[in-house]
Amino acid sequence: MRVHAWMGALLLIPLAVVAISGAGLSFAREIDRVLAPELWTLSPPAHVEAAGVERLMALVESHHPEARLQRLEMPARVQDTAMLQLVDARGEPRQIFVDPYRQTVVGERPAGDDPRQWLGEIHASLIAGTPGRWLVILSSVGLVVLFLSGWVGRPPRHGAGVGQSHRGIVIVGAWLWSISALTGLWAVAAGHSLNGREAPLVHSGVESSNGMEACGDATVETIWWREDGRAVLRCRSPGSVGPFGLAYQAGGERSAPGTADWLAAAHTGGMLGVGGSVVWFWGTLMLPVAMALGLLAFRRRSLARPAIGNGYPGKEERSR
């Protein structure tokens, strides 16, 4: 158990940062709505249809004629704005928020102010570049080893209190943490990005093409523009969740979700929709709690052992 405890002590801080930032990413858009309601939320007028993709593009291009479009996120709700990300004339990425009903720009900001951007950097690399990425990878591997070492070397009797709380949380949350760690490692090993804001890779089966193809009965969720100006659309069937009902439209052809989409859905709990994201949110936050309780339980057992060896009753014996 000493190896298990020392591993937990070494991994506590990096895994706590990864877990908390990952939990934040589960509801980053909702957090952003609270922090910047003037950018995301509007009051839709009655009997007015929202502008289409072409009109939104033209509106933004009139404000930034020298900019290059990168991404368009269509409103998820009727009271949401549309968000277009572009690279301005100075080469800086910016996000432009448009009221699709009144066809006006309601605000803009640097893309780096998006919580999904900076939370994603914390989650993937601890904002430490390549060394941070390797630390996250090693911490994920260490988390799996931590589970195995704790299971093999678990003490025969936990008793009540901190040790029992630690064990209970681990029993409930270990499967969730393992899925997140293993899918993250799988994505890194396979070269997949779990960042849903990035355009699908060419080798995923989605080819880009000129033109703005419609999604048919599905709705346009996101559009990406490559550097050559060609577009890729992400379409979603009404009422679908996660990768179910998701498709990519480009080059006149429709492509099913790729491996990265399924890995991302399993990694974040999005496979089960909002309910799964809520479970993943709270479950992820419990990881550092479980690790801290485990270290506290080990500390208490360590302090009790010398007393037993000197002929005095330890804490566990006195409680009997």
Side-chain angles (χ1 to χ4, degrees):
M1 287 302 293
R2 285 186 178 276
V3 174
H4 179 74
W6 280 109
M7 282 189 63
L10 290 173
L11 296 174
L12 176 57
I13 293 178
L15 284 178
V17 174
V18 171
I20 294 171
S21 59
L25 281 170
S26 299
F27 292 98
R29 174 58 61 81
E30 287 72 19
I31 294 172
D32 202 10
R33 287 193 181 109
V34 173
L35 296 177
E38 71 281 0
L39 295 178
W40 285 107
T41 308
L42 53 84
S43 299
H47 310 298
V48 178
E49 292 187 2
V53 172
E54 292 80 1
R55 178 55 189 156
L56 294 175
M57 291 172 54
L59 181 63
V60 171
E61 288 174 342
S62 67
H63 284 74
H64 296 271
E66 299 181 0
R68 177 175 62 84
L69 295 176
Q70 286 186 320
R71 186 175 81 252
L72 165 62
E73 296 181 9
M74 296 297 288
R77 309 174 303 175
V78 293
Q79 65 268 35
D80 285 348
T81 57
M83 190 279 289
L84 286 95
Q85 182 164 313
L86 51 80
V87 178
D88 63 18
R90 297 174 296 177
E92 298 179 359
R94 297 190 65 81
Q95 294 180 343
I96 315 300
F97 297 84
V98 180
D99 182 337
Y101 302 99
R102 301 170 180 86
Q103 301 183 28
T104 57
V105 174
V106 299
E108 58 181 86
R109 68 182 179 186
D113 291 349
D114 189 339
R116 293 175 300 173
Q117 177 76 22
W118 50 267
L119 279 173
E121 292 178 0
I122 295 173
H123 187 68
S125 66
L126 308 177
I127 320 182
T130 301
R133 290 184 182 279
W134 276 107
L135 180 56
V136 171
I137 293 171
L138 294 176
S139 298
S140 299
V141 174
L143 179 61
V144 178
V145 176
L146 195 65
F147 293 153
L148 297 176
S149 64
W151 178 260
V152 173
R154 68 188 188 279
R157 181 175 181 273
H158 283 267
V162 176
Q164 190 65 26
S165 299
H166 167 73
R167 187 185 183 205
I169 294 175
V170 171
I171 290 174
V172 173
W175 63 273
L176 184 153
W177 305 328
S178 298
I179 290 174
S180 294
L182 293 173
T183 52
L185 292 171
W186 184 352
V188 171
H192 294 304
S193 172
L194 302 185
N195 182 355
R197 294 175 290 111
E198 294 183 2
L201 298 176
V202 174
H203 67 254
S204 66
V206 181
E207 298 179 355
S208 56
S209 174
N210 286 310
M212 300 304 301
E213 301 91 349
C215 287
D217 295 335
T219 58
V220 178
E221 186 177 74
T222 309
I223 302 174
W224 294 273
W225 286 273
R226 311 274 178 119
E227 292 187 0
D228 59 6
R230 297 182 294 177
V232 178
L233 288 74
R234 180 162 65 194
C235 310
R236 179 171 295 282
S237 299
S240 62
V241 296
F244 303 101
L246 190 67
Y248 294 96
Q249 182 79 18
E253 298 180 358
R254 180 166 293 197
S255 174
T259 303
D261 295 297
W262 293 99
L263 286 175
H267 186 73
T268 62
M271 189 85 71
L272 304 176
V274 176
S277 297
V278 171
V279 171
W280 250 248
F281 175 84
W282 289 110
T284 302
L285 289 179
M286 294 308 295
L287 173 59
V289 175
M291 295 179 69
L293 288 175
L295 291 174
L296 182 57
F298 176 77
R299 174 66 174 169
R300 289 186 174 183
R301 285 195 297 270
S302 299
L303 292 176
R305 288 192 188 103
I308 297 174
N310 291 329
Y312 296 100
K315 294 182 179 179
E316 292 185 1
E317 293 188 2
R318 289 197 300 266
S319 64
R320 293 177 181 175

